[in-house]
Amino acid sequence: MAKTKTVYVCSNCGTDSPKWQGKCPNCGEWNTFVEEVIAKDTSSRRSVPGMTDNVKIRPVLLRDITAEEETRIDLKDAELNRVLGGGLVKGSLVLIGGEPGIGKSTLVLQTVLGLRGLKTLYVSGEESSRQLKLRADRLKHDTPDCFILCETNLEQIFVQAQNVQPDLLIIDSIQTIFTELVESSPGSVSQVRECSAAILKYAKESGVPVLLIGHINKEGSIAGPKVLEHIVDTVLQFEGDQHYMYRILRSIKNRFGSTAELGIYEMRQNGLREVSNPSELLLTQNHEGLSGVAIAAAIEGVRPFLIETQALVSSAVYGTPQRSATGFDLRRMNMLLAVLEKRAGFKLIQKDVFMNIAGGLKVNDPAIDLAVISAVLSSSLDISIETGVCMAGEVGLSGEIRPVNRIEQRIMEAEKLGFSRIIIPHNNLKGFESNKCKIQIIQVKKVEEAFRHLFG
């Protein structure tokens, strides 16, 4: 009989300890240690069904390794293919995380039902087959090659996968799957680690890509230990406000592509719709004559789009003025306010400043700095910015407008949407023939020069 012992494992980072601790010494979180029973004698461990025997592998020189192009599966979804780096790589393990009710299962099921000629095994540990059938009917897709399996036992899942021989495996969700090799409840640190490692081995040995759906904890990160994110090949974050119809798919980790890509969806009654041109949805047409609104030409990944930056400046009621930013880094906004006060001479020390990026986006592009300070100044002076003007430029601490990358794409996107003028940094048009553009290009060196063009 195997000897057993108990350890305490941090549910946030996976650190184990022989005794309970109030604060995790690794991640610093409080009250995250839970007791788990583990087996000390590993000689009686059984092999997971569906796994092939290990082949003896010898070291190979780097120059003798042949580099081949990764075989990718077209998911018939332009946004999802872009975020994945061009499609789903065979034998890869992809983790899709998001808040409850955000649309993770809808996105995956909608994508699976749209695939033709691919045999898919959809393993659901949370919903019944009848619930999945009702969702599929609402999505108005029907494919005969999608198998539904309502099971939470990992060994049984591998047995059914061996019988079906699918081209794609879906696990919904990884927190509900358990293996008999670990004596703990589903969703615990040990279960998530062991199940993910076994699924990764299955994916690499069989060449079948696997999509895992994961939960989000209250801190906004993937529930379970961080080792789950290290095991998988790609981590996708599906985010957005449930009260808004827009959903954003980001790539946090991608071994087969860029992590700077961004996919935008619109939630509808019959599923998620791809947003191929997000600029038209992120811009409102009724802000004419309103102060505190500036249009910025931003880039996320390889796609440019125009976003609306909104600012509200009012007199501070209390002694300490409030600073709030939604969709923008608060520390960077405070830095821009300091530049605005020091270099441009506008006193905002007794003013409340609120900043918002329209559409629920979170933008990290430094090129929207010029639009941010322009919106703040517009609200402070209560003077609206002329319609048809957009801008792109990074603001330095000395008040200079620094050049930004891929300025040609920003200009072409603004021209395509009918803007008449765009303000860009000086000497940022290297090798770009501006004579072919119908939009007027204004080059500025400092923030004062940009303000003169905007407010006269």
Side-chain angles (χ1 to χ4, degrees):
M1 188 173 180
K3 297 180 180 179
T4 60
K5 68 173 184 178
T6 60
V7 296
Y8 293 88
V9 183
C10 176
S11 58
N12 184 57
C13 64
T15 302
D16 54 2
S17 173
K19 61 180 181 179
W20 185 86
Q21 300 184 52
K23 181 180 180 181
C24 177
N26 187 27
C27 63
E29 295 292 330
W30 287 88
N31 299 326
T32 56
F33 275 91
V34 294
E35 184 180 9
E36 292 188 2
V37 179
I38 62 173
K40 186 177 181 180
D41 187 7
T42 60
S43 60
S44 61
R45 289 175 65 96
R46 295 171 292 173
S47 61
V48 179
M51 298 295 165
T52 59
D53 295 334
N54 291 330
V55 182
K56 293 183 178 180
I57 301 176
R58 298 179 180 178
V60 182
L61 289 174
L62 182 61
R63 62 173 178 264
D64 296 336
I65 301 176
T66 58
E68 299 179 357
E69 189 70 20
E70 297 288 348
T71 305
R72 295 181 181 267
I73 300 175
D74 185 11
L75 297 177
K76 309 300 180 182
D77 188 329
E79 300 295 310
L80 186 55
N81 284 336
R82 179 191 294 111
V83 177
L84 288 173
L88 186 61
V89 177
K90 289 188 176 182
S92 62
L93 187 59
V94 179
L95 174 64
I96 301 179
E99 296 180 355
I102 204 66
K104 303 183 298 297
S105 301
T106 302
L107 173 65
V108 174
L109 185 60
Q110 173 181 305
T111 304
V112 166
L113 295 179
L115 298 177
R116 297 291 179 179
L118 287 179
K119 188 185 299 184
T120 306
L121 178 59
Y122 193 104
V123 180
S124 176
E126 298 179 344
E127 297 177 289
S128 64
S129 57
R130 182 176 177 83
Q131 289 175 304
L132 292 174
K133 175 62 176 177
L134 293 175
R135 178 177 295 172
D137 293 340
R138 191 181 77 247
L139 297 176
K140 297 181 181 180
H141 287 284
D142 187 19
T143 173
D145 297 329
C146 181
F147 294 87
I148 302 298
L149 175 63
C150 298
E151 181 61 65
T152 58
N153 191 310
L154 183 64
E155 285 75 17
Q156 293 297 324
I157 292 174
F158 282 131
V159 170
Q160 298 301 326
Q162 191 73 18
N163 297 332
V164 176
Q165 294 293 325
D167 299 320
L168 177 62
L169 178 61
I170 312 294
I171 304 293
D172 184 12
S173 66
I174 185 60
Q175 277 83 11
T176 61
I177 307 301
F178 72 95
T179 175
E180 297 177 354
L181 303 179
V182 179
E183 298 180 2
S184 58
S185 60
S188 62
V189 178
S190 302
Q191 287 286 0
V192 170
R193 183 193 296 117
E194 292 295 330
C195 292
S196 301
I199 294 173
L200 176 66
K201 187 176 181 181
Y202 166 78
K204 298 304 180 183
E205 293 184 353
S206 63
V208 177
V210 181
L211 289 178
L212 301 179
I213 297 179
H215 294 164
I216 293 293
N217 56 22
K218 60 182 180 180
E219 285 81 16
S221 58
I222 303 293
K226 279 293 181 180
V227 70
L228 177 60
E229 299 185 20
H230 295 299
I231 289 176
V232 300
D233 297 316
T234 306
V235 179
L236 303 182
Q237 186 90 1
F238 201 47
E239 58 189 31
D241 195 340
Q242 296 184 10
H243 304 287
Y244 290 91
M245 55 183 166
Y246 302 121
R247 302 289 187 268
I248 301 171
L249 185 66
R250 297 179 184 271
S251 177
I252 301 177
K253 170 190 175 183
N254 194 352
R255 290 174 177 166
F256 307 107
S258 173
T259 57
E261 294 298 340
L262 182 74
I264 300 180
Y265 292 88
E266 181 183 5
M267 178 63 78
R268 291 189 172 185
Q269 185 67 26
N270 57 351
L272 293 163
R273 185 185 71 87
E274 307 170 29
V275 179
S276 57
N277 189 8
S279 299
E280 296 180 354
L281 296 177
L282 298 176
L283 296 179
T284 57
Q285 305 297 329
N286 55 355
H287 61 77
E288 185 176 358
L290 299 178
S291 62
V293 177
I295 309 300
I299 283 185
E300 285 285 340
V302 296
R303 64 190 305 183
F305 55 89
L306 301 184
I307 58 176
E308 185 178 304
T309 59
Q310 303 173 348
L312 177 62
V313 180
S314 61
S315 299
V317 180
Y318 304 100
T320 304
Q322 300 182 60
R323 299 287 190 263
S324 176
T326 303
F328 190 73
D329 189 7
L330 180 60
R331 292 173 297 181
R332 189 166 187 86
M333 188 191 75
N334 291 330
M335 182 198 73
L336 294 176
L337 294 179
V339 172
L340 194 62
E341 183 170 344
K342 180 72 175 181
R343 304 300 178 186
F346 293 96
K347 303 299 182 181
L348 300 173
I349 191 172
Q350 297 296 330
K351 300 286 186 178
D352 292 337
V353 180
F354 304 94
M355 174 61 58
N356 177 46
I357 303 297
L361 287 178
K362 294 180 180 179
V363 184
N364 299 319
D365 189 4
I368 71 171
D369 289 351
L370 183 57
V372 168
I373 63 172
S374 299
V376 170
L377 187 58
S378 172
S379 178
S380 178
L381 300 176
D382 200 14
I383 300 176
S384 63
I385 298 177
E386 183 182 351
T387 306
V389 178
C390 64
M391 57 203 75
E394 179 184 355
V395 178
L397 292 180
S398 60
E400 80 278 9
I401 307 298
R402 301 177 59 85
V404 295
N405 59 347
R406 297 209 288 274
I407 191 64
E408 299 88 356
Q409 300 181 24
R410 305 174 195 264
I411 295 175
M412 299 305 295
E413 180 72 12
E415 183 181 5
K416 183 176 68 175
L417 292 176
F419 282 80
S420 58
R421 289 190 297 166
I422 181 172
I423 301 177
I424 64 172
H426 189 69
N427 292 332
N428 207 171
L429 294 174
K430 294 182 180 179
F432 179 69
E433 298 180 2
S434 58
N435 299 329
K436 298 181 180 180
C437 299
K438 298 180 181 180
I439 187 173
Q440 180 184 359
I441 301 176
I442 302 174
Q443 302 185 47
V444 295
K445 293 182 179 179
K446 293 185 178 181
V447 292
E448 300 94 328
E449 189 177 351
F451 293 156
R452 283 196 297 268
H453 286 284
L454 291 173
F455 308 106

